Amino acid sequence: MGLLIKNAMIVNADKIWDKPQDILCEAGKIAKIAASIPTGDHQVIDAKGKKVLPGLIDIHVHLRQPGCEDKETIETGSKAAAKGGFTTIMCMPNTTPVIDNAMVVEFIRREAQRVGLVNVHPIGAITKGQNDQELTDMAELKSAGCLALSDDGKSVLNSRLFRLAMEYAKMLDILLIEHCQDPCLSAGGVMNEGEASTLLGLKGDPGIAETVIVARDIEIALYLNARVHLAHMSLKRSVDLIRAAKAQGIQVTAEACPHHFTLTDADVKSFDTSMKVSPPLRAQEDVEAIKQGLADGTIDCIVTDHAPHTKEDKEVGFDGAPFGLTGLETSLGLTITELVKPGVITLSQMVERMSAAPARIVGLGGKGQIKEGKDADLTIIDPDKKWTVTKEGFVSKSVNSPFIGRTLSGRVEYTVCGGKIVYAPVA
Amino acid sequence: MTQWKHKHLLGLQDLTAEDIELVLDTARSFKEVSSRDIKKVPALRGKTVVMLFFEPSTRTRISFELAAKRLSADTLNIAVSVSSTTKGETLLDTARNIEAMNVDLMVVRHGTSGSPFILAQGLKCSVVNAGDGCREHPTQALLDLFTLKEKFGRIKGLRVGIVGDILHSRVARSNIWGLTKLGAKVTVCGPATLMPRGIEAMGVEVCYDIRKLIKNSDALITLRLQKERQQDKFLPSLREYGRLFGINREKLAEGSSDLIVMHPGPTNRGVELSAEVADGKQSVILDQVTNGVAVRMAVLYLVLGTKPGTEG
């Protein structure tokens, strides 16, 4: 017995099917796509009127386990991912302890398998303890299951060490993901430096803290003919630098988050600490540039930077609150509302940015498209359905979202991972 | 006459020119109370005012406390170390516990910008901002406005220079809001490293030449320089700051003899102001302190005199 999705309007990154198809999933794979497949004894989902996308892939989330299970666990994070339409997520290594050795990687993989909802791939650290001093045993991390390495939360500030990391990662063919922020320049800033920070009296983080690292990493990648992936780009100037680098054939890829194409630093005026994110919310021209970068492919993919924090963590005032917002459950809705509906990108471009490109960047060959023989990871959505974000609606342990109360278009109806329904609407 | 419509006083950014004038007019009548033999009126009898200070401050706290006592309110002083309001006891938790004792108003001082906003949203009682981070210090600006009006009889058209660490100054921001709303022309002056990006958006001019500023001003509001700014590398040295931006008799002589010098206190003598200027006839620093009590009486009276449920 398999899972049969009837009347599927299939949206791939390269093609939107013009007639509904039936998709049969068996043994975790897409066994058959045809105009009509007999129901037989298969479990059936009728997708009439809905769009069926390859399962969404988020290569930048924080699951907080091990170490901060009060904020999120692999189980609650997996549930949030499934509800948000994600079938594969990659979790960042800034846990306690840091994901810098095979034992922690194995713990996460084992726990994710026990939960058994979505594919969870740990990202290993670039430096031991994320301490910017010594490289991790990258080959060991790769063989334990890491598809990428990052010191996310901070840059590898030692430029020589980052050069060595890039050379070594190139030899192993493992992706490096860089958090671009020079802490000497950001100097404890809690929001974007500009008019808004001046009016609010909050310490500003200047955009150059991001762009000097973007420029540095592009130069190192050029010098080594190696690749680098730049995390959560937030600035027009970063987009300009990446566009120029790509035009020269430098192997740089980049990602952006929904909050950076939806909100600006002016929104911080409410002192809502869920607006406190790293990198910070920027100016309107940056928001427009991120949208443009996503439209023309300068920014390769959309990630959430899902960063759950408890209410207590965030209720300590803007300076003292930790950075980050919960993002897995609002990402698709924000992308459709802010990018697809206004015509910035098409639905198939959204599939490219949220599934095909991330699969390609980290090397998940079986994912990112709906095709016979590929993994049966599917997200069924109603792009026109409106829904309102509520505190009660989150299944993540944390509800630190600046979007509570906002009405979004585009709702996940079903999430299918490995041919198994992992999220379905509550009857 | 304008009615006071606000449940809280969080900053001058939120007030209209009419609101500000109302506070100044009310303060004028309360100033007389402080000159009586019996310095007390029953306006807030039965009300409880809590001074909730997360940051040490002697002058502002005493001024508020005296103001509340002269209005016959019961007062309570709570100094909270910021380190205790970390995880487990949030800012709001602390305030809610105090509010549960049925207090009517909290005067809040906090090192984080926006904290009074967070409290005003989460509490039922009124909140008066006694200084939050680098954002606003509304009663200091109101007492500065009161003092200026007392000396010049008007605010409109006055040329006011604000000198010093504009980047970290809540006094500067509140004064800019208040002065510009009442029609003064404001110029800010200080080291480029302590000049916040985009300050022109507040409707001020930026000047780096103190002598030029003195020549073109009716009043100077000098700001206290925190000595740790030098350790933070914002300044080469305090000596150089004093030479470039400190006000002494020689520099002051280049301006009008009617020019007045203000300072929110406490002053670093020899840095922002020479002793002879601080104590000289153009200084109104002690008048500011006196007026502070009257202005804070006016604020407490107006805020607590408001019916519940009006806008914040």
Side-chain angles (χ1 to χ4, degrees), chain B residues 90-312:
Chain B
T90 68
L91 173 68
L92 210 47
D93 274 342
T94 307
R96 278 186 184 138
N97 272 285
I98 297 162
E99 190 190 37
M101 298 174 210
N102 291 321
V103 307
D104 299 289
L105 184 146
M106 283 191 213
V107 176
V108 179
R109 160 72 65 97
H110 200 289
T112 294
S113 300
S115 299
F117 270 86
I118 293 170
L119 293 181
Q121 281 159 15
L123 297 175
K124 292 185 202 78
C125 71
S126 292
V127 174
V128 169
N129 181 7
D132 65 324
C134 304
R135 199 187 67 89
E136 284 232 38
H137 193 347
T139 56
Q140 177 67 45
L142 287 165
L143 75 86
D144 290 344
L145 291 166
F146 186 91
T147 308
L148 283 165
K149 207 165 176 185
E150 205 172 49
K151 298 293 170 192
F152 293 98
R154 65 188 167 95
I155 302 290
K156 195 173 171 63
L158 282 183
R159 299 166 304 163
V160 181
I162 304 178
V163 185
D165 178 359
I166 311 293
L167 179 65
H168 298 99
S169 178
R170 52 194 172 211
V171 174
R173 283 172 180 76
S174 281
N175 263 307
I176 292 169
W177 290 122
L179 286 162
T180 53
K181 281 178 189 196
L182 296 190
K185 179 181 174 294
V186 181
T187 304
V188 290
C189 180
T193 49
L194 291 170
M195 195 60 72
R197 209 172 158 82
I199 187 75
E200 296 87 349
M202 294 182 80
V204 300
E205 279 186 21
V206 177
C207 160
Y208 298 107
D209 181 346
I210 188 73
R211 289 174 189 275
K212 194 171 153 197
L213 183 76
I214 288 170
K215 278 183 199 148
N216 294 307
S217 294
D218 299 307
L220 294 177
I221 299 174
T222 53
L223 303 172
R224 178 176 165 77
L225 186 77
Q226 302 292 331
K227 291 189 174 158
E228 65 265 27
R229 301 303 171 216
Q230 193 195 336
Q231 271 123 47
D232 291 343
K233 317 279 188 255
F234 284 104
L235 297 170
S237 69
L238 291 179
R239 184 170 160 268
E240 174 144 313
Y241 176 85
R243 279 177 45 174
L244 285 181
F245 299 100
I247 298 170
N248 56 23
R249 197 163 55 183
E250 180 227 332
K251 284 180 193 159
L252 204 56
E254 295 185 33
S256 156
S257 57
D258 294 331
L259 183 148
I260 63 168
V261 177
M262 304 168 82
H263 193 292
T267 52
N268 294 305
R269 291 182 173 226
V271 182
E272 303 106 49
L273 296 174
S274 67
E276 57 201 5
V277 171
D279 301 330
K281 63 179 174 41
Q282 286 171 272
S283 163
V284 294
I285 295 172
L286 292 177
D287 298 296
Q288 290 174 269
V289 177
T290 305
N291 291 337
V293 178
V295 162
R296 289 176 176 120
M297 285 170 80
V299 166
L300 295 176
Y301 173 76
L302 290 169
V303 169
L304 274 179
T306 308
K307 291 185 179 65
T310 48
E311 64 173 297

Side-chain angles (χ1 to χ4, degrees), chain A residues 69-244:
Chain A
E69 288 82 355
D70 55 337
K71 296 172 191 266
E72 193 80 286
T73 63
I74 291 162
E75 181 162 354
T76 56
S78 295
K79 283 182 183 163
K83 186 159 187 259
F86 293 94
T87 53
T88 297
I89 54 176
M90 289 175 47
C91 55
M92 283 294 173
N94 53 345
T95 47
T96 312
V98 168
I99 309 175
D100 62 1
N101 64 77
M103 273 175 63
V104 189
V105 177
E106 281 158 15
F107 161 75
I108 292 167
R109 287 171 60 87
R110 203 167 54 239
E111 179 60 11
Q113 271 166 15
R114 184 194 68 75
V115 171
L117 286 172
V118 300
N119 305 297
V120 177
H121 295 281
I123 296 171
I126 296 171
T127 66
K128 286 178 188 158
Q130 294 191 294
N131 64 6
D132 205 21
Q133 299 289 320
E134 299 168 79
L135 297 180
T136 50
D137 293 348
M138 293 185 185
E140 179 187 285
L141 288 169
K142 185 178 178 183
S143 59
C146 291
L147 303 171
L149 304 172
S150 178
D151 272 4
D152 188 61
K154 47 191 182 178
S155 291
V156 178
L157 203 57
N158 180 328
S159 300
R160 177 175 172 270
L161 195 65
F162 196 64
R163 172 236 165 114
L164 298 175
M166 218 189 268
E167 279 181 319
Y168 206 81
K170 182 183 176 187
M171 173 184 81
L172 296 173
D173 191 24
I174 189 166
L175 181 72
L176 289 190
I177 303 176
E178 174 81 309
H179 174 112
C180 301
Q181 185 182 43
D182 181 335
C184 297
L185 280 166
S186 54
V190 296
M191 68 173 293
N192 184 44
E193 182 176 278
E195 273 180 35
S197 65
T198 294
L199 299 191
L200 296 172
L202 289 169
K203 202 163 186 182
D205 177 341
I208 47 171
E210 175 173 308
T211 55
V212 294
I213 302 292
V214 168
R216 180 199 73 168
D217 289 0
I218 287 170
E219 284 300 294
I220 299 175
L222 169 66
Y223 183 68
L224 299 175
N225 191 25
R227 64 180 179 137
V228 66
H229 179 77
L230 305 178
H232 40 48
M233 293 290 94
S234 67
L235 288 155
K236 176 181 186 297
R237 181 69 188 146
S238 297
V239 177
D240 291 344
L241 288 165
I242 296 163
R243 189 177 286 122

